[in-house]
Amino acid sequence: KNHHRALICLVKGLMVFLACYGAIFGMIEPFEISFNRTAVILAILFISMYVAFFYYNKIVFYIGYFILFAGFVIGLVRFFLYANSGFQAIINVVFEKYSDHFKLLALRESQETITNRYVTVTIALIFAAVFLSLLLNITISGYMNIIETVLITFPLLEIPLYIGLRPPLFTLIALLSCYICVGVLQSSKHSRMSVKGLNYHEYARAKFRGKKYYAYQSNAKLNFIVLGASLSI
């Protein structure tokens, strides 16, 4: 049932968005770096939904990965100087804050080829969102693993937390909601999301008193309920 799989992909995409958004904004916001927040949020939302629908079927899985890889390489070649300067700008700001916190006498500076940080940091964060969303899609849509999801996202928040900078509350809420949702669905029997025709069937089969029963390994309704409950906590 295609509509069933589409709904599951939609929920998983929202979960990937919450985790990616919380991690990136939770890390960057405490350092008060100027960038286009609207563009980055929309990019995270689009990329999260795009990668989540890789699991819609086998054709979308292969074609989607190819398009993503090709687009990422082309974009990186075209905007390499901008992305590199953006990452260097973030590193410089982080080192500056760490230097002030620990009262260091020397300050390490990374060279920024392009000095317009508003543009370069925005582009750098969009590239980071692509990479992070892809990893989170594997841990959430593929395996629904809470430990791997936390290990990928929470270390980014430790960068500002280590020197006493607190991430905004809304980023923590987004991450916590995703963690709760992933944890609950992982403990249930309806969290598995396979690609049709790959590795295992999309149905879980059970036999009870001589009768065979079939159920989706990922339940769309349960996913929606858990995600909604997680956001309301």
Side-chain angles (χ1 to χ4, degrees):
K1 297 179 180 181
N2 293 332
H3 69 279
H4 182 93
R5 295 185 66 84
L7 287 175
I8 296 173
C9 291
L10 177 63
V11 179
K12 300 296 176 65
L14 290 174
M15 293 166 63
V16 172
F17 168 76
L18 289 174
C20 188
Y21 168 81
I24 290 179
F25 275 76
M27 186 278 292
I28 201 72
E29 288 285 6
F31 292 101
E32 300 179 347
I33 303 176
S34 179
F35 65 97
N36 192 324
R37 287 163 175 76
T38 302
V40 175
I41 292 174
L42 291 177
I44 294 174
L45 180 60
F46 172 78
I47 296 166
S48 299
M49 291 298 173
Y50 178 77
V51 298
F53 272 83
F54 285 177
Y55 286 84
Y56 183 72
N57 60 39
K58 188 163 55 175
I59 296 176
V60 174
F61 182 84
Y62 289 120
I63 295 178
Y65 263 110
F66 175 78
I67 294 176
L68 178 66
F69 178 76
F72 186 84
V73 171
I74 293 172
L76 189 60
V77 170
R78 184 172 181 179
F79 297 102
F80 174 78
L81 291 179
Y82 287 90
N84 183 64
S85 296
F87 283 118
Q88 299 304 327
I90 295 172
I91 291 173
N92 285 335
V93 172
V94 171
F95 276 136
E96 182 179 350
K97 294 291 186 180
Y98 268 69
S99 179
D100 293 341
H101 180 79
F102 292 107
K103 296 179 173 57
L104 301 177
L105 298 177
L107 177 63
R108 176 181 173 182
E109 285 281 347
S110 298
Q111 184 178 4
E112 299 176 41
T113 307
I114 300 174
T115 57
N116 188 342
R117 287 185 172 180
Y118 184 82
V119 175
T120 59
V121 172
T122 300
I123 294 176
L125 292 179
I126 291 175
F127 276 102
V130 175
F131 181 72
L132 187 60
S133 295
L134 190 58
L135 292 180
L136 288 169
N137 189 51
I138 296 173
T139 65
I140 294 175
S141 295
Y143 300 107
M144 194 60 69
N145 190 301
I146 180 61
I147 295 178
E148 293 178 357
T149 302
V150 172
L151 289 177
I152 290 175
T153 55
F154 193 75
L156 291 176
L157 269 66
E158 291 181 337
I159 297 175
L161 286 172
Y162 189 74
I163 55 174
L165 298 178
R166 296 181 180 179
L169 180 61
F170 56 84
T171 63
L172 297 178
I173 293 175
L175 269 179
L176 184 60
S177 298
C178 180
Y179 292 162
I180 294 174
C181 191
V182 173
V184 171
L185 290 175
Q186 181 183 1
S187 63
S188 74
K189 297 181 180 180
H190 301 283
S191 63
R192 213 174 195 183
M193 185 63 179
S194 64
V195 178
K196 283 185 176 180
L198 292 182
N199 298 328
Y200 43 79
H201 299 287
E202 66 176 308
Y203 291 98
R205 291 177 291 182
K207 189 174 183 180
F208 181 70
R209 292 183 178 179
K211 295 183 178 181
K212 291 183 178 180
Y213 296 89
Y214 297 84
Y216 272 99
Q217 297 192 62
S218 188
N219 185 283
K221 184 178 180 180
L222 177 63
N223 279 241
F224 268 114
I225 293 173
V226 174
L227 180 60
S230 300
L231 290 171
S232 64
I233 294 179

